[in-house]
Amino acid sequence: MDKNSTIESKIKRYSALAGGLTAIAGVANAQIVYTDINPDQLVTGNGDMYSLDVDNDGTVDFSLSTLVVSTSYTYGPTVNVNLAYNAGVIAPAAGNSMMTTYSSGIANVPVGSAIGSSGSFSSSSGFLGYSVTYSITGGISQTGSFNGGNFINGEGFVGLKFQSGGNTHYGWARVEMLNSGTLLSVKDYAFESTPN
């Protein structure tokens, strides 16, 4: 046997092994369905909305929107309150929900954490983050601001629970809130194709 046929034989064995490993890796990764939104979807302005179809079946599973509102109130004859607030909101379609924490609403799920039936989920819409500025005049004079929510001025993962084909599926959406809540960016999402 010459040297070339030995090398050829080794290359064929390596190719067969690599092909087999690639096939196994393909099966192992086939359960996660990932969608990159490129470019990222920007949601800005009062009432702007992004409809998230996690399993890409043509049915909206979650809506992400921004609120940019200014309003004024008068109490009694002299006290005026001016409010301006910016917020990012997520709302589930019927039967769907988001991971929550009891203390601060929609959870920002740490990377590597499990999203599944053991999590706490809410089917009510909730704030991803908000920023409020206020001024009070007349009788008293006060101004200030405060922020809240787990995504304000940062990026994170919303844990999702949704119905598809009569089954419960779990997944996530990566979002970022910028500019003290005036801009919401939806970056990507994924779900486990195996139910439950």
Side-chain angles (χ1 to χ4, degrees):
M1 188 181 239
D2 68 1
K3 189 174 182 180
N4 285 342
S5 63
T6 302
I7 291 172
E8 253 181 56
S9 174
K10 286 182 180 180
I11 290 172
K12 286 180 183 176
R13 281 186 283 159
Y14 172 77
S15 296
L17 176 63
L21 291 175
T22 302
I24 291 169
V27 170
N29 292 327
Q31 295 176 335
I32 303 299
V33 180
Y34 171 79
T35 303
D36 183 19
I37 302 171
N38 190 6
D40 297 346
Q41 178 66 47
L42 299 178
V43 184
T44 185
N46 190 38
D48 195 11
M49 185 182 326
Y50 176 70
S51 298
L52 178 59
D53 176 8
V54 182
D55 56 354
N56 301 307
D57 68 352
T59 301
V60 174
D61 300 304
F62 299 89
S63 297
L64 294 101
S65 60
T66 50
L67 301 172
V68 179
V69 179
S70 295
T71 188
S72 297
Y73 302 95
T74 301
Y75 294 99
T78 59
V79 177
N80 296 305
V81 178
N82 298 300
L83 292 173
Y85 64 91
N86 309 312
V89 178
I90 184 168
N96 300 336
S97 55
M98 295 85 53
M99 264 183 111
T100 58
T101 61
Y102 291 110
S103 61
S104 57
I106 305 302
N108 187 338
V109 181
V111 172
S113 297
I115 300 171
S117 61
S118 63
S120 174
F121 288 85
S122 172
S123 59
S124 299
S125 62
F127 288 110
L128 296 166
Y130 57 87
S131 176
V132 178
T133 58
Y134 64 90
S135 67
I136 303 170
T137 58
I140 60 170
S141 183
Q142 186 176 9
T143 61
S145 64
F146 57 91
N147 296 329
N150 291 315
F151 296 86
I152 192 71
N153 295 322
E155 180 180 282
F157 295 88
V158 180
L160 306 174
K161 177 180 177 182
F162 68 100
Q163 300 300 307
S164 179
N167 296 305
T168 300
H169 291 266
Y170 295 92
W172 54 262
R174 185 168 54 115
V175 301
E176 182 176 22
M177 292 205 64
L178 303 168
N179 246 10
S180 295
T182 61
L183 177 65
L184 174 63
S185 175
V186 186
K187 298 177 169 292
D188 51 4
Y189 55 92
F191 76 99
E192 170 68 58
S193 63
T194 303
N196 300 311

